[in-house]
Amino acid sequence: MSKPLILVTNDDGVTAPGIQALTEVAKEFGDVVVVAPDKPQSGMGHAITINATLRVQELKSKNDVPVYSTTGTPVDCVKLAVNEILDRKPDLILSGINHGTNASINVIYSGTMSAAIEGCLEGIPSIGFSLTNHSIDADFTSAKHYAKKIVPQILENGLEKGVCLNVNIPDMGINEIAGIRVCRQANANWIEEFDRREDPSGRPYYWLTGHFENYDEKDDTDISALEQNYVSIVPVQYDLTAYSSLKKLSKLDF
Amino acid sequence: MSKPLILVTNDDGVTAPGIQALTEVAKEFGDVVVVAPDKPQSGMGHAITINATLRVQELKSKNDVPVYSTTGTPVDCVKLAVNEILDRKPDLILSGINHGTNASINVIYSGTMSAAIEGCLEGIPSIGFSLTNHSIDADFTSAKHYAKKIVPQILENGLEKGVCLNVNIPDMGINEIAGIRVCRQANANWIEEFDRREDPSGRPYYWLTGHFENYDEKDDTDISALEQNYVSIVPVQYDLTAYSSLKKLSKLDF
């Protein structure tokens, strides 16, 4: 029997330490191919490239793992891998390990999670992993440890149709992590603070910055899990319908 | 009493005929400010600009409507408008009218809908409008007619917290449209077909193309509504948690 085929991608770019850590995890469970952006693509959300062309480059394989970089977004990478690069449909897609949290509302801005959602759209079990440390030299030891616990469970049991996983790992030692908690997306948001500057000609420009605010005081959220030193797993869906609003909306007099 | 403040944005760019049509609609109900991308940003999803700077330019106002273009994505436009450009929080955000459908899974790729979702995240009632014709010279008469029915209802009644609207208008005359239907996102997807070409040096490049497949045979979807000549309204949420999967996932042996 052939080993499972595992596609590894990310949004921090093909050279990021996080994707190397995830590739090492994946290698323990199957045949691995890496297809990732040739440059950082954080904050790209579910963007796709439709008004420009895409390039694919095969890089030198590392430890028998074929590695491809593309000029596209994380979602482009999944589409290119599944439709052009791989010779069979992958059994699992792993995205990350992201340098920085994708808990709560970050899921919607995250290229890492959008790649997992795209995999899910293609009918492939998909998991996005993120470490709550955005530093380039973050320590992925704990994240790898927990990824090795989660990956075989999903390979064995699969995921429900239309669902992928958003896994966030707290930035601490393995012995400090309290365990794994399955939870929901916290109701939180970024409060923007644009940093307005002037260029050498005196014309204004802006940097998008902000701080994160958690409005959710309940205990069953990903933010709460991370605050209590748990690894958070949120099942994520691409059906955005707000079913609870259907009835009320239908009563409006359009 | 001051008139409602309505922010108008889109993803086809500030010069698109669709946003001019939506601005005309908005003017009937409030004070309008346009903040839109300086170039087409279709397919940008919920992308934000975090590794580059943003510029804002005030264009010549048209019919007393201030118009700003930005170098950012549709989501950047909403953030810039709410936090930097407008002097008070808008009462309503209208995005579109998109040249082309955003029904079903297109909601996830659409810059137009991501702008509406971002407005919703900011706590502002937000509606994305799309016409099922992506031509630059599409006829927006029917779309305007139905937008004028929907906008005052939402100004008067608001929307539930965490919910915005995805409105799609079929490309036909007003008298051919059967009415408005509140419905759910159809389970459908794009099947990619990459168009592989070679540049003058013989190196390959790709165009992302594809065809749309509807797997959803039920009658309560946006695709079904549009096929039956109805305007579709789908309430859309940013909580991506797949609540129905929480229990099953919790039983896995992580």
Side-chain angles (χ1 to χ4, degrees):
Chain A
M1 213 179 100
S2 68
K3 285 203 267 183
L5 178 60
I6 303 177
L7 169 64
V8 175
T9 189
N10 76 345
D11 76 356
D12 291 314
V14 71
T15 61
I19 198 169
Q20 292 177 36
L22 192 54
T23 303
E24 287 161 22
V25 172
K27 273 195 74 180
E28 296 195 14
F29 302 100
D31 293 326
V32 181
V33 178
V34 174
V35 182
D38 60 5
K39 57 193 166 299
Q41 294 267 357
S42 299
M44 281 306 279
H46 214 92
I48 50 175
T49 304
I50 50 180
N51 290 322
T53 58
L54 291 163
R55 297 276 191 177
V56 176
Q57 188 175 5
E58 184 166 5
L59 308 180
K60 220 171 170 176
S61 80
K62 288 181 77 167
N63 309 319
D64 297 330
V65 173
V67 178
Y68 298 83
S69 72
T70 91
T71 53
T73 66
V75 171
D76 290 330
C77 286
V78 172
K79 288 182 187 287
L80 278 165
V82 171
N83 293 284
E84 284 291 323
I85 298 170
L86 303 176
D87 50 17
R88 61 186 169 101
K89 192 173 178 176
D91 300 287
L92 184 69
I93 297 179
L94 303 179
S95 182
I97 299 171
N98 195 64
H99 293 244
T101 178
N102 278 317
S104 180
I105 196 60
N106 295 297
V107 66
I108 216 168
Y109 299 102
S110 161
T112 294
M113 276 310 301
S114 291
I117 292 171
E118 182 64 28
C120 175
L121 271 166
E122 303 265 1
I124 301 159
S126 300
I127 314 173
F129 290 97
S130 307
L131 178 70
T132 64
N133 180 344
H134 65 260
S135 163
I136 185 72
D137 53 7
D139 180 355
F140 287 96
T141 309
S142 297
K144 284 171 69 176
H145 176 82
Y146 277 92
K148 283 180 199 171
K149 285 176 179 284
I150 294 166
V151 166
Q153 286 293 325
I154 303 308
L155 272 174
E156 189 182 331
N157 298 288
L159 283 167
E160 288 187 270
K161 201 175 141 35
V163 174
C164 62
L165 299 186
N166 182 13
V167 178
N168 283 271
I169 298 109
D171 181 37
M172 50 186 63
I174 293 173
N175 294 335
E176 294 165 83
I177 295 181
I180 290 176
R181 201 180 272 177
V182 175
C183 44
R184 66 175 171 85
Q185 175 184 326
N187 177 26
N189 200 10
W190 285 93
I191 307 300
E192 284 82 28
E193 291 152 9
F194 282 97
D195 183 349
R196 185 185 187 279
R197 300 184 183 188
E198 286 185 6
D199 68 16
S201 323
R203 293 193 312 143
Y205 65 94
Y206 300 88
W207 286 102
L208 172 57
T209 71
H211 69 274
F212 188 73
E213 282 199 5
N214 183 15
Y215 310 119
D216 205 321
E217 295 179 353
K218 297 210 178 131
D219 199 37
D220 60 342
T221 70
D222 49 3
I223 297 287
S224 169
L226 291 164
E227 283 174 353
Q228 293 171 50
N229 302 350
Y230 281 87
V231 172
S232 67
I233 303 185
V234 177
V236 167
Q237 64 184 31
Y238 55 75
D239 180 356
L240 306 191
T241 310
Y243 286 94
S244 61
S245 283
L246 283 172
K247 203 168 169 186
K248 193 176 171 190
L249 266 179
S250 301
K251 288 180 184 159
L252 292 186
D253 182 29
F254 292 126
Chain B
M1 212 178 101
S2 67
K3 284 202 265 182
L5 177 61
I6 304 177
L7 170 65
V8 174
T9 189
N10 76 344
D11 77 356
D12 291 315
V14 70
T15 60
I19 198 169
Q20 292 177 34
L22 192 53
T23 303
E24 288 162 22
V25 171
K27 273 195 72 180
E28 295 195 14
F29 301 100
D31 293 326
V32 181
V33 177
V34 174
V35 181
D38 61 4
K39 54 193 168 298
Q41 294 268 359
S42 299
M44 281 306 278
H46 214 92
I48 50 175
T49 303
I50 51 180
N51 290 322
T53 57
L54 292 163
R55 297 275 190 175
V56 176
Q57 190 175 6
E58 183 166 5
L59 308 180
K60 218 170 173 179
S61 79
K62 285 181 79 165
N63 307 320
D64 296 328
V65 173
V67 178
Y68 298 83
S69 72
T70 91
T71 53
T73 66
V75 171
D76 290 329
C77 287
V78 172
K79 288 183 186 291
L80 280 166
V82 171
N83 293 283
E84 285 290 324
I85 299 170
L86 301 177
D87 49 18
R88 61 188 169 101
K89 192 172 178 176
D91 300 286
L92 185 69
I93 297 179
L94 303 179
S95 183
I97 300 171
N98 196 65
H99 293 243
T101 178
N102 278 318
S104 181
I105 195 61
N106 295 299
V107 67
I108 217 166
Y109 299 102
S110 162
T112 294
M113 276 311 301
S114 291
I117 291 170
E118 182 63 27
C120 174
L121 271 165
E122 304 264 2
I124 301 159
S126 301
I127 314 172
F129 290 96
S130 307
L131 178 70
T132 64
N133 180 344
H134 63 261
S135 164
I136 185 74
D137 53 7
D139 180 354
F140 287 95
T141 310
S142 297
K144 285 172 67 177
H145 176 83
Y146 276 92
K148 284 180 200 172
K149 284 177 180 287
I150 294 165
V151 165
Q153 287 293 324
I154 303 309
L155 272 175
E156 188 181 331
N157 298 289
L159 283 168
E160 288 187 270
K161 200 175 143 32
V163 174
C164 62
L165 299 186
N166 182 12
V167 178
N168 283 271
I169 299 108
D171 182 36
M172 50 185 64
I174 294 173
N175 294 334
E176 293 165 83
I177 295 181
I180 290 175
R181 201 181 271 178
V182 175
C183 45
R184 67 175 171 85
Q185 175 185 327
N187 177 26
N189 200 10
W190 286 93
I191 308 300
E192 284 80 29
E193 291 152 9
F194 283 97
D195 183 350
R196 186 186 186 279
R197 301 185 182 187
E198 287 183 4
D199 68 17
S201 323
R203 292 193 312 143
Y205 64 94
Y206 300 88
W207 287 103
L208 172 57
T209 69
H211 69 274
F212 188 74
E213 281 198 6
N214 184 14
Y215 310 119
D216 205 321
E217 295 179 351
K218 298 210 177 131
D219 200 36
D220 59 342
T221 70
D222 50 3
I223 298 287
S224 169
L226 291 165
E227 284 174 354
Q228 293 171 50
N229 302 350
Y230 281 86
V231 172
S232 67
I233 302 184
V234 177
V236 167
Q237 64 184 32
Y238 56 75
D239 180 356
L240 306 190
T241 310
Y243 287 93
S244 60
S245 282
L246 285 172
K247 203 168 170 185
K248 194 176 171 189
L249 268 178
S250 300
K251 289 181 183 157
L252 292 186
D253 183 27
F254 290 126

